């Protein structure tokens, strides 16, 4: 296929996937929900049209087999979204992987597969990368029954409703069967745009801690309860929101956010009796990340004590920063150079399936620019020509990795590489 | 009926009405919803069993006619609740009014009626006393299409679904047809409990301003957006929550509260792009109330300006404090003394239908204690013996008002009274 045909097919597929959404602004395909399954079915149909064979594991990770055999090169990303999210986050990596796999599968010694992971977004259950964790065997015991969505349903409950049985998922994603994993993703930031480069090669993925806070106040009539006698859970939460912001500001290259906050009973005439919120702390430096989490916990305890609004804090997820593998990264940078596409090496503030996969197989991550840096929002943008450029680089990197593997009795140990 | 029989019947009716609720904690009967209608149908059946005739106006206000003729004495309160509210707020006034009316109707010259107003709680549409406003003709033009609930439905939309047509409601509640209005309500505060008195006679009902705030930030990925570039609508709202609390504290006898706050998109991995909140400001002094509202508006503007998160502020309701009528109040205090029930005169921090009725007919308000002062909450409490005591006082006050009316060619002008 020529470049124009690739762009045209990418555009048509992006449009078709964007239509698989709950009503409302942007794209909403909740993790482990029926719309996520519908998106997986759609890409499976497209892969079959290109001659690929399709397998799905018990966690709903869909594997599109373009070139049979082991070891194999794996490409991929995810198809779920945050509520009212964009049409590119995750989707771009699956579609770009499919284009590159379709182009090179016939030429390579190694097998070539594309994976669409399930449930990468943490919005629904407060923990990201559930599908890739199950595929790599990294999922903590009991998690699938413990984590619940806003409706109180566990991951197992929700997944079973679409015919999945995540607790029965046998880990399959690991070296040496998987020679390397390559993921394309939108940057979701402004570095590439500011530096006017077409592509970014990620060296480190920020660690992320996610803490659930429950504050208990005392719900009383707002008109008859004097200010002095109140235990207002929202006023306590407001102090914590500002403390978290301060911790993020003091972390220099880190960030700290409260993106989700729910008030109970949330009536204009009732002093708030409870608040649930989720804190997100990220850093590319593990020590600074731990220090920020400790500072957030200390601030919550201080507010709870002073206001008489007891707080419970639960860690929903805690992932250290992940250095990606030098071997597949070098294949990406060399392929950029081959194609005369300017790139830069940069860290990722967002978590990605590549960070989970990096623990069991060599993994690399390629960014395409996100105009305005806006993501997890309906007006998330991405230029089709940049995705097409990423497809060219992916195809080049696959050929280089295949060459490397053919030239070596054993695959190179990425830990021994530069 | 003797006192034991009255208490037993009150208890049975309170239990029956508490069962008319949405699932979940406490009692939830949304304004103008089908469960509110079900509660109105239940009290109508009970009234008919006692020989009363039932009329309902187009706004769903139910009138139970125990003694025909005009002028008539009117008792009443409301049957809707806040979300996850208690079983006494409103209900007590309707049931106590029915007991007193059933006892004295046969003895009086004047007619005797009980009204169950619709939609007193402001939770659903952000404005209280919709039913009594429609009955008295105080409802502002266009309000029924303008105010919307969380689902985006207008008052007219919601009411039509239960067969009501509030926009067609002809005002009927006014002097001289209504000689006086008496309402019993739970105090929802701690004055009576602290002073160990059984009943409270209200002299002034606090004014209330309700402001809707919409803050617009910029929704971005929480991992990739540096702290410095953010326009976080929740962080802005957090400052406003604390500013409102400060204004309430500085108002001495007033209060200021944000009880409702909704974050958009409310995802743990997205910097909040929008917040909607409702501010409730109350005071028994009109000047102080205006000053508090101005202070809140100034604080919102300052935060919005400094953080680059534009704010719109809309007044949902603005009611000045209301002095209640001396004539029916004196009947209540005299009836307390007749029954040797200790009482005290006090202001009401909560709004009540009596404050709306006071603009078109002489109105008085009698409080029963609320143990722990807790209301608008599932564990709202009220002793049945206190409600029975209020029934005795209501009956005594009705007899006194009837005597007064019989002894005067015209009814006394309450404005000329002490």
């Amino acid at each position: 296929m020529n470049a124009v045909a690739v762009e045209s097919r990418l555009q048509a597929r992006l449009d078709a996937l964007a239509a698989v959404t709950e009503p409302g602004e942007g794209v909403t395909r909740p993790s482990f929900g029926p719309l996520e399954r519908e998106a997986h079915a759609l890409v499976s149909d497209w892969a079959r049209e290109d001659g690929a064979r399709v397998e799905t594991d018990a966690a709903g990770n869909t594997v599109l087999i373009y070139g049979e055999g082991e070891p194999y090169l794996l490409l991929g990303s995810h198809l779920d979204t945050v509520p009212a999210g964009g049409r590119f986050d995750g989707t771009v990596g699956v579609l770009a992987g499919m284009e590159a796999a379709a182009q090179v599968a016939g030429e390579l010694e190694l097998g070539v597969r594309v994976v669409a992971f399930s449930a990468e977004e943490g919005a629904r259950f407060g923990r990201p990368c559930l599908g890739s964790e199950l595929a790599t065997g990294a999922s903590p015991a009991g998690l699938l029954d413990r984590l619940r969505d806003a409706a109180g349903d566990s991951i197992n409950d929700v997944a079973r409703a679409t015919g999945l049985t995540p607790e029965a998922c046998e880990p399959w994603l690991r070296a040496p069967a998987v020679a390397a994993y390559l993921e394309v993703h939108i940057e979701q930031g402004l570095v590439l745009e500011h530096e006017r480069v077409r592509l970014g090669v990620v060296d480190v993925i920020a660690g992320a801690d996610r803490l659930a806070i429950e504050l208990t106040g005392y719900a009383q009539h707002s008109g008859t309860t004097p200010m002095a006698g109140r235990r207002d859970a929202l006023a306590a939460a407001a102090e914590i929101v500002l403390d978290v912001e301060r911790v993020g500001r003091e972390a220099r290259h880190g960030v700290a956010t409260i993106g989700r906050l729910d008030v109970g009973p949330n009536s204009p005439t009732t002093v708030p009796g409870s608040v649930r919120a989720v804190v997100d702390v990220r850093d590319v430096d593990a020590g600074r990340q731990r220090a920020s989490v400790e500072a957030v916990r200390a601030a919550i305890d201080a507010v709870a004590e002073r206001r008489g609004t007891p707080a419970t804090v639960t860690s929903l997820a805690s992932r250290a920063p992940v250095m990606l593998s030098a071997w597949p990264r070098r294949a990406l940078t060399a392929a950029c150079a081959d194609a005369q596409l300017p790139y830069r090496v940069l860290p990722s503030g967002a978590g990605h399936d590549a960070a989970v996969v990096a623990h069991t197989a060599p993994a690399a991550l390629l960014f395409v620019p996100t105009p305005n840096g806006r993501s997890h929002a309906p007006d998330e943008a991405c230029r089709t020509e940049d995705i097409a450029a990423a497809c060219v680089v992916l195809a080049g990197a696959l050929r280089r990795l295949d060459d490397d593997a053919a030239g070596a009795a054993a695959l190179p140990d990425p830990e021994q590489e530069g």
Side-chain angles (χ1 to χ4, degrees), chain A:
Chain A
M1 271 181 136
N2 65 27
V4 173
V6 168
E7 283 192 35
S8 152
R9 186 156 85 160
L10 283 169
Q11 192 57 60
R13 289 178 173 181
L14 286 165
D15 289 345
L17 282 168
V20 181
T21 176
E22 290 183 3
E25 266 201 311
V27 181
T28 303
R29 283 195 297 268
S31 309
F32 286 129
L35 290 169
E36 186 189 41
R37 300 322 311 155
E38 196 178 324
H40 279 244
L42 205 50
V43 302
S44 298
D45 289 345
W46 295 332
R48 286 192 195 96
E49 287 168 17
D50 275 355
R53 190 165 64 77
V54 177
E55 288 182 356
T56 301
D57 70 17
N61 298 305
T62 300
V63 182
L64 315 171
I65 303 166
Y66 285 82
E68 299 278 354
E70 287 188 4
Y72 58 87
L73 297 163
L74 184 65
L75 305 119
S77 196
H78 62 95
L79 296 174
D80 61 328
T81 74
V82 298
R87 50 194 280 161
F88 301 103
D89 181 349
T91 308
V92 159
V94 175
L95 295 183
M98 291 167 69
E99 290 296 342
Q103 278 175 41
V104 305
E107 312 167 17
L108 305 190
E109 294 291 314
L110 297 175
V112 180
R113 304 186 180 196
V114 176
V115 59
F117 289 115
S118 55
E120 191 268 352
E121 296 293 355
R124 182 166 190 175
F125 297 101
R127 183 183 176 95
C129 300
L130 296 166
S132 50
E133 280 196 338
L134 288 159
T136 58
S139 188
L143 192 79
L144 303 174
D145 282 315
R146 199 170 71 240
L147 295 189
R148 313 243 153 198
D149 65 8
D153 295 322
S154 74
I155 295 172
N156 273 329
D157 295 339
V158 169
R160 267 186 219 115
T162 63
L164 301 176
T165 50
E167 77 274 22
C169 183
E170 290 290 333
W172 54 268
L173 199 173
R174 67 171 74 88
V178 177
Y181 171 77
L182 301 179
E183 179 168 354
V184 175
H185 206 282
I186 58 170
E187 181 196 352
Q188 309 178 286
L190 287 166
V191 175
L192 300 183
E193 177 152 292
H194 284 167
E195 307 213 354
R196 297 173 188 280
V197 294
R198 296 283 296 279
L199 296 165
V201 178
V202 174
D203 54 355
V204 54
I205 296 179
D209 272 87
R210 218 168 276 174
L211 306 175
I213 311 174
E214 285 195 47
L215 284 162
T216 305
Y218 196 62
Q220 286 174 294
H221 192 294
S222 65
T224 61
T225 309
M227 300 306 290
R230 297 185 173 194
R231 292 193 282 125
D232 182 330
L234 178 58
E239 290 196 48
I240 292 168
V241 167
L242 297 171
D243 285 334
V244 166
E245 185 185 49
R246 178 182 47 73
V247 167
R249 284 176 175 167
E250 290 171 358
R252 222 158 47 95
H253 295 300
V255 290
T257 311
I258 292 188
R260 173 163 194 162
L261 184 142
D262 297 289
V263 180
N266 209 28
S267 156
T269 54
T270 308
V271 177
S274 65
V275 166
R276 289 164 183 253
V278 180
V279 185
D280 179 53
V281 176
R282 309 202 190 201
D283 211 301
V284 291
D285 179 276
R288 278 204 317 255
Q289 185 183 338
R290 280 192 300 274
S292 291
V293 169
E294 283 316 299
V296 166
R297 284 183 176 269
I300 294 167
D301 289 347
V303 170
E305 170 74 23
R306 180 161 33 79
R307 284 189 172 264
T309 50
T312 61
V313 180
T314 313
S315 173
L316 297 175
S318 181
R319 291 204 174 84
V322 172
M323 294 298 299
L324 294 179
S325 309
W327 175 54
R329 182 166 83 235
R330 194 185 299 161
L332 287 176
T333 54
C336 285
D338 292 346
Q340 298 189 294
L341 286 161
Y343 70 93
R344 79 156 265 178
V345 176
L346 78 175
S348 171
H352 293 292
D353 291 309
V356 174
V357 174
H359 294 289
T360 61
L365 179 59
L366 182 69
F367 274 168
V368 289
T370 314
N372 304 315
R374 190 148 159 109
S375 183
H376 284 191
D379 58 349
E380 180 183 85
C382 183
R383 284 178 295 268
T384 314
E385 59 264 37
D386 291 337
I387 308 174
C391 294
V392 170
V393 170
L394 274 189
L398 290 173
R399 291 190 186 99
R400 282 181 165 269
L401 291 168
D402 189 63
D403 283 348
D404 288 347
L411 290 171
D413 177 357
E415 299 311 314
Q416 301 302 312
E417 293 271 316

